[in-house]
Amino acid sequence: MTSTLFPFQTEALDKLRSFCKKAKRDYKDDGEHTIITLAAPTGAGKTIIMSGLMEKILRGDENNAKEENSIFVWLSDDPELNEQSMHKVEHETMYELPLGSLEIIKEDSFDKEVLEDGKIYFLNIQKLSKSSNLTKSKDGREHTIWETLQNTVEQKGERLYFMIDEAHRGTQKTDANTANSIMQKFIFGSPNDKLDKMPIVIGMSATIDRFSELIKGTNSTTRSCIIKAEDVKDSGLLKDEINISYPGDNDIQRGMAILKYATHEWKEKCQHWEAYCQKEHEPTVYPVLVIQVENGHGDKISETDLNECLKAVEEELGRELYEGEVAHSFGEPKTELTINGLKVPYVEPSRIDESKKVRIVFFKESLTTGWDCPRAETIMSFRTANDYTYIAQLMGRMVRTPLHRRIEGDESLNNVHLFLPNYNSENVQKVIDALSSNDGEGIPTKIKKNAVGASEEQELHVAEDKKDVFEWLNSIQLTTYVISKYRVSNYLTSLFNLAYLAANTQGVDPEAAIRVSSQIATMIRSYIEKLQTEGIYNNKVEEIKKFVLTESKMEFLKDGKLQSSSELVLELTDYDIEREFARADAKLKNAGKRYTRDYFDKADMIDLMIDVILFTQSEECMAELDKYAKATFYQYKHEYRKVLSKYSENVKSKYDKCTREGEEVSDHSWMLPSTIYLPKGEETIEGHLFVDDEGKASFSLNTWEQQIIKDAKKDDDFVCWLRNQDRKSWSLCITYEMGGKAHPFYPDFVIVRKDKNGSYLLDLVEPHWKDEDNVPKAKAMAKYVEDEDGNVERFEMTRVYDNKMLRLDFANPIISHRLADATKYNDDFLDDLFKEYG
């Protein structure tokens, strides 16, 4: 695999591999058919997961031998989507599968009796229509596609996997369990085409409900794999928000004015991406402005005035657009157009993302399928309110993140903006419903709607006179925590991921991965020498190399009982040993190969391979290996956290991913982005670290919160404050334990002061009324101050008694010591502390 999988992808892949193994066994033993469903929300990476599945089956893994003669057919409902899927699979498997393993079935050249072993075929339903050459026995064709598939089912059915992409399409059901679409022929069979139903079918979709309903009536075994939408969202593979803007009323034509506003937003997005990529030394991301226009009538390409569109864009940009910067993806004509005096070439939808020169794209409906363009960050649609399903489909193609991760350094780069001049609030809600529904795109991204120019949130950047405070806060690297939904299942995998990151990041630890592999090789050698010392090594080798083959005889018409049997002792061939070594080495993450290199002078290669097999078959050795991997993982995590946080955001993101996979609660360095979004408030409050373009920031604070900020500003040493909004990707998060589980909480305020020497001091403040979680939070606050070792000057919990605000500072050792006497949820104890020390 080219991509590194997220935990939810690995979990889905392992489950699918297990399902396929059972399906193959059931068909081979009993002729039982199986239908597997993969429900993968938009952005889950279903093509990556399926690429991993095919690679695992063909090449084997630590738990399964390779099945090189397996055959896969990938069915799509669109030719361009079909080709795009093949390119993605090819990219993911290019280092593991031989050249020529992937093939698009073409009408003019494909003619085979059976499908070839070890091949992945791509087919779209248009090629299966009655008018297609593939379905006709003429013009020299020896086999129709139906005959090829049927022959393959009959001769190789137990190793044929039929994959249906976008499986929710073509699911209209008839009363009987008969095929009502081309796709359904593979589910139910097709007597007219002399085609049996496929032995193993995998249906995948973001909205699998209709497909699941379709297969209920079949007599096939069904198994389902469901990826949760929140897991996809948490991964950072999708943008955090979709912002939808529309006019307050749509009685007046305002299309071009809103297009100019959209262009302004897009221009700012371009500037943000350029600044971010330069700072982080990333390849520049060039955002795309997508302009969806109306259909035309007669000779008219579109009812939308294309010339006026480009004129409006150029006016807002303050410059003329250059040739190649604008393209169109109209279904017709697929030729170059001249718009407002500019030559505008046709670009296939699937090629837009890779065409970095293209910055503005005109289209009508062609981008709703077969198109992924993470660069598309702003869309202006001139469509009417009746086209809300097209709008929803389009947004489903635009929510993926350009760098395949959340951008921590600039929150403005984690959203996509949609402008709808011909919609009102009611019709915008239809778009939102279509985006969120089970039958729609199933997008797990937060969706906001606002009138054009209005927003519930304010975009804030670091105040000019506070930039040194911002740099200082990031330099001290306070600890922030992430609670993961996944617990590590293999510490060795997490350890190697972390070690490779350190080795591949210049100046960190170039020998990290080699050192881990060598230490495991040493463990293998120690085990082998122990067996040799005990005099049982040769016996262990014999157990590996030799096996018993039982031969039984059964005479015909003798009550069907065995009459006699005999046993033969056979020895594994070198080929068998090499295959078993490959499985053992996979368990050791290639440390087995390190062993054969480090100790090549101790024995011949086959014997060294047997050593590795013996090690992995020892439960005691594998338990020791897991203990080593766990201890070393935590050691490296501690050593690398502050070192790697000084590198680019890409490196920090990889570190965070590695460590989140390693434990339920993981610690990370708190790093503020240069741009954040906070809810707009009713009152402008001075002194905030982040401000808007006018140097202001507004908040809606309750009376307690207002008092905290007023009191902070009264101090002569006050510098600034920060609203630590809960559950933002950048928020400072602390954990406390309650009911045997870890829970997150976000201190409301960060206060920065200066001491007499001019050095900055940091305070955290948490206003909190009586609640059962107060004592656990208080203990967590005291522990946090201790762990931060001087980085936090004060950590206060506040309460109001008789209109007077009292404070408990858990950085005070007297108070933190008294907390040890507090029972689990005894808030009365805190009351006494407030009255005594507050």
Side-chain angles (χ1 to χ4, degrees):
M1 289 288 291
T2 302
S3 299
T4 301
L5 300 184
F6 287 85
F8 75 85
Q9 292 173 328
T10 300
E11 185 179 275
L13 175 54
D14 290 343
K15 184 177 285 190
L16 290 170
R17 181 65 188 98
S18 174
F19 288 169
C20 288
K21 188 174 182 179
K22 292 174 183 175
K24 178 177 180 178
R25 180 196 62 207
D26 291 345
Y27 186 77
K28 190 174 182 179
D29 293 347
D30 306 315
E32 186 175 322
H33 295 72
T34 298
I35 301 175
I36 300 167
T37 59
L38 171 62
T42 295
K46 69 177 186 297
T47 306
I48 292 175
I49 294 169
M50 298 308 293
S51 298
L53 176 63
M54 291 184 285
E55 184 179 296
K56 270 181 176 283
I57 292 173
L58 290 167
R59 303 299 296 164
D61 58 24
E62 58 195 73
N63 299 313
N64 303 282
K66 56 185 176 183
E67 300 172 9
E68 295 175 299
N69 60 355
S70 296
I71 305 163
F72 303 87
V73 178
W74 185 295
L75 181 71
S76 303
D77 74 336
D78 180 87
E80 196 163 344
L81 179 60
N82 204 44
E83 187 172 343
Q84 188 180 45
S85 298
M86 191 195 78
H87 290 318
K88 285 184 180 179
V89 174
E90 188 174 43
H91 174 74
E92 291 296 332
T93 60
M94 60 183 175
Y95 298 118
E96 291 295 333
L97 302 186
L99 288 174
S101 297
L102 281 64
E103 179 182 341
I104 288 183
I105 294 178
K106 297 180 179 178
E107 285 187 71
D108 55 351
S109 58
F110 187 86
D111 188 358
K112 297 180 184 296
E113 181 182 357
V114 292
L115 299 177
E116 295 179 37
D117 292 349
K119 295 286 287 280
I120 302 172
Y121 294 95
F122 293 84
L123 179 64
N124 58 279
I125 59 174
Q126 289 79 4
K127 293 174 183 173
L128 299 174
S129 65
K130 292 180 180 179
S131 60
S132 169
N133 290 333
L134 281 175
T135 62
K136 299 174 183 176
S137 298
K138 64 177 186 178
D139 298 330
R141 177 178 295 280
E142 294 184 19
H143 307 282
T144 68
I145 187 64
W146 303 122
E147 291 168 347
T148 302
L149 290 170
Q150 180 61 26
N151 291 338
T152 306
V153 169
E154 292 173 356
Q155 299 176 33
K156 309 176 180 183
E158 79 281 356
R159 57 183 193 268
L160 172 62
Y161 300 88
F162 203 89
M163 300 170 163
I164 303 176
D165 196 6
E166 304 295 351
H168 61 282
R169 296 173 182 166
T171 52
Q172 185 178 352
K173 210 171 180 183
T174 57
D175 293 335
N177 284 327
T178 56
N180 194 37
S181 69
I182 291 175
M183 182 272 283
Q184 293 182 29
K185 292 182 179 183
F186 305 105
I187 303 293
F188 300 110
S190 176
N192 291 338
D193 300 301
K194 298 179 181 178
L195 179 72
D196 293 341
K197 62 182 181 179
M198 296 296 106
I200 304 170
V201 173
I202 305 174
M204 45 188 162
S205 174
T207 52
I208 204 71
D209 291 359
R210 279 184 282 172
F211 183 76
S212 299
E213 187 65 29
L214 173 73
I215 64 177
K216 276 183 181 178
T218 68
N219 56 5
S220 299
T221 298
T222 58
R223 305 182 191 277
S224 63
C225 177
I226 300 172
I227 296 175
K228 295 179 181 177
E230 56 265 30
D231 293 336
V232 181
K233 185 177 180 181
D234 290 345
S235 71
L237 289 171
L238 297 184
K239 297 184 176 83
D240 290 341
E241 291 182 350
I242 297 173
N243 294 319
I244 303 178
S245 295
Y246 58 94
D249 62 76
N250 59 352
D251 293 334
I252 303 174
Q253 293 297 315
R254 301 168 176 166
M256 294 305 161
I258 293 177
L259 175 57
K260 291 181 73 173
Y261 185 75
T263 303
H264 173 78
E265 292 274 310
W266 169 68
K267 182 181 176 182
E268 286 196 338
K269 187 66 73 77
C270 293
Q271 293 167 349
H272 277 260
W273 269 117
E274 183 178 10
Y276 174 82
C277 292
Q278 284 181 356
K279 178 186 175 185
E280 297 294 332
H281 306 290
E282 292 278 4
T284 304
V285 173
Y286 298 102
V288 171
L289 170 62
V290 178
I291 304 175
Q292 185 182 32
V293 298
E294 300 163 287
N295 291 332
H297 297 93
D299 295 333
K300 202 171 185 180
I301 294 174
S302 171
E303 292 301 315
T304 305
D305 192 325
L306 304 183
N307 293 322
E308 282 297 316
C309 287
L310 283 193
K311 184 179 176 182
V313 170
E314 289 180 334
E315 285 178 0
E316 183 59 36
L317 293 177
R319 65 174 177 85
E320 292 184 354
L321 294 162
Y322 55 80
E323 194 170 314
E325 195 173 9
V326 184
H328 78 88
S329 291
F330 297 146
E332 291 294 336
K334 295 183 178 181
T335 56
E336 183 179 271
L337 301 175
T338 299
I339 304 175
N340 198 38
L342 184 72
K343 292 181 179 179
V344 177
Y346 169 79
V347 177
E348 291 182 4
S350 60
R351 302 293 183 191
I352 293 172
D353 193 50
E354 65 189 46
S355 305
K356 304 303 181 187
K357 192 177 178 182
V358 174
R359 309 293 297 279
I360 299 171
V361 178
F362 284 101
F363 86 106
K364 298 174 188 175
E365 299 168 4
S366 59
L367 300 191
T368 54
T369 58
W371 179 67
D372 282 321
C373 188
R375 291 198 296 128
E377 304 231 340
T378 308
I379 175 173
M380 168 73 183
S381 177
F382 285 95
R383 309 294 291 201
T384 64
N386 296 325
D387 292 334
Y388 62 88
T389 53
Y390 284 120
I391 302 288
Q393 289 171 353
L394 175 66
M395 296 308 296
R397 322 309 302 176
M398 293 178 61
V399 292
R400 292 161 176 81
T401 47
L403 298 181
H404 310 293
R405 58 178 170 82
R406 180 178 290 107
I407 303 302
E408 305 295 348
D410 187 339
E411 269 206 295
S412 69
L413 303 181
N414 294 316
N415 62 51
V416 58
H417 208 140
L418 167 63
F419 293 87
L420 299 173
N422 296 320
Y423 281 62
N424 57 23
S425 180
E426 180 182 347
N427 291 321
V428 167
Q429 190 59 48
K430 291 181 180 178
V431 175
I432 295 174
D433 293 342
L435 283 167
S436 308
S437 72
N438 288 335
D439 287 333
E441 290 300 309
I443 297 175
T445 295
K446 185 177 180 180
I447 305 169
K448 291 184 175 180
K449 63 174 184 175
N450 297 292
V452 175
S455 175
E456 295 176 356
E457 290 198 325
Q458 51 190 331
E459 181 180 308
L460 306 176
H461 54 77
V462 181
E464 284 296 323
D465 61 341
K466 303 290 190 302
K467 287 190 174 180
D468 55 338
V469 180
F470 171 79
E471 296 294 339
W472 174 76
L473 283 171
N474 281 348
S475 70
I476 64 175
Q477 296 188 41
L478 283 180
T479 306
T480 186
Y481 294 90
V482 173
I483 298 178
S484 175
K485 297 182 178 69
Y486 293 89
R487 297 299 302 272
V488 65
S489 57
N490 190 325
Y491 273 104
L492 192 60
T493 300
S494 295
L495 171 59
F496 268 110
N497 287 341
L498 194 53
Y500 281 125
L501 176 61
N504 294 328
T505 304
Q506 188 175 8
V508 179
D509 190 351
E511 301 296 318
I514 294 174
R515 187 166 57 250
V516 172
S517 291
S518 295
Q519 287 170 346
I520 296 172
T522 301
M523 294 174 70
I524 298 172
R525 193 65 204 165
S526 298
Y527 175 64
I528 296 304
E529 290 175 351
K530 175 175 175 287
L531 294 179
Q532 290 171 340
T533 300
E534 294 174 354
I536 58 175
Y537 175 73
N538 291 333
N539 291 337
K540 291 282 187 182
V541 171
E542 287 297 304
E543 290 176 9
I544 293 291
K545 295 177 72 172
K546 294 185 178 180
F547 65 97
V548 175
L549 180 71
T550 301
E551 290 186 334
S552 300
K553 296 180 181 179
M554 185 174 71
E555 293 184 17
F556 191 54
L557 298 179
K558 289 277 187 176
D559 299 325
K561 295 180 180 179
L562 296 176
Q563 302 302 309
S564 62
S565 63
S566 60
E567 294 183 346
L568 295 175
V569 178
L570 303 179
E571 188 166 316
L572 294 178
T573 66
D574 288 355
Y575 175 78
D576 295 324
I577 292 171
E578 288 171 359
R579 291 187 68 186
E580 192 59 34
F581 168 77
R583 291 178 61 188
D585 188 44
K587 292 179 181 178
L588 301 178
K589 310 306 171 192
N590 296 323
K593 291 187 179 72
R594 168 63 57 182
Y595 175 79
T596 62
R597 286 196 294 269
D598 287 356
Y599 297 95
F600 70 93
D601 57 337
K602 300 293 184 182
D604 65 32
M605 184 58 69
I606 291 296
D607 289 338
L608 292 174
M609 288 182 177
I610 291 174
D611 290 350
V612 175
I613 296 168
L614 285 172
F615 182 85
T616 57
Q617 288 189 352
S618 166
E619 291 184 6
E620 182 181 348
C621 287
M622 294 304 286
E624 282 299 313
L625 176 62
D626 188 61
K627 188 186 298 183
Y628 157 79
K630 184 176 182 179
T632 310
F633 169 78
Y634 283 111
Q635 175 194 335
Y636 282 11
K637 184 173 82 71
H638 176 73
E639 290 177 3
Y640 298 149
R641 179 171 74 85
K642 291 195 174 182
V643 176
L644 290 172
S645 66
K646 296 176 182 177
Y647 285 79
S648 69
E649 188 174 309
N650 186 30
V651 171
K652 289 182 286 189
S653 176
K654 289 177 180 177
Y655 169 82
D656 288 346
K657 183 173 181 288
C658 289
T659 53
R660 286 179 189 183
E661 293 173 9
E663 51 192 334
E664 182 183 9
V665 179
S666 56
D667 56 307
H668 305 265
S669 294
W670 184 50
M671 306 292 283
L672 284 166
S674 58
T675 302
I676 65 173
Y677 287 88
L678 287 175
K680 276 185 179 177
E682 299 172 354
E683 181 183 357
T684 297
I685 302 179
E686 301 293 331
H688 195 257
L689 177 61
F690 289 83
V691 295
D692 61 19
D693 292 337
E694 297 180 358
K696 300 176 181 179
S698 61
F699 302 90
S700 295
L701 303 182
N702 62 34
T703 52
W704 283 21
E705 294 169 335
Q706 290 174 13
Q707 188 63 48
I708 288 169
I709 301 304
K710 285 178 182 177
D711 290 347
K713 288 182 177 181
K714 289 177 183 177
D715 288 346
D716 294 335
D717 57 2
F718 173 79
V719 177
C720 64
W721 67 286
L722 169 67
R723 176 62 143 169
N724 186 46
Q725 188 74 24
D726 66 334
R727 301 186 189 280
K728 289 282 189 178
S729 61
W730 53 265
S731 301
L732 178 65
C733 178
I734 297 166
T735 61
Y736 66 97
E737 285 197 12
M738 186 172 168
K741 292 183 179 181
H743 300 270
F745 88 95
Y746 304 82
D748 278 3
F749 299 106
V750 177
I751 310 290
V752 178
R753 298 178 291 117
K754 269 188 178 180
D755 63 15
K756 294 178 182 179
N757 299 318
S759 299
Y760 290 121
L761 303 172
L762 183 141
D763 302 337
L764 301 174
V765 185
E766 169 71 5
H768 218 69
W769 188 233
K770 288 189 175 185
D771 203 339
E772 65 173 359
D773 65 1
N774 276 349
V775 171
K777 281 185 176 179
K779 289 186 174 183
M781 292 162 72
K783 184 177 185 305
Y784 185 80
V785 172
E786 182 182 351
D787 291 344
E788 283 305 302
D789 194 24
N791 282 333
V792 178
E793 185 71 12
R794 302 172 185 163
F795 200 159
E796 297 177 335
M797 181 181 284
T798 67
R799 278 190 192 171
V800 174
Y801 293 86
D802 298 325
N803 296 319
K804 182 181 179 181
M805 179 168 286
L806 301 182
R807 301 167 182 261
L808 280 182
D809 180 10
F810 296 109
N812 183 334
I814 297 175
I815 296 175
S816 60
H817 179 72
R818 289 285 305 275
L819 265 179
D821 299 328
T823 55
K824 252 186 181 180
Y825 308 129
N826 184 3
D827 196 70
D828 293 338
F829 184 88
L830 276 185
D831 262 342
D832 294 338
L833 284 182
F834 268 107
K835 291 168 185 176
E836 184 175 354
Y837 296 102

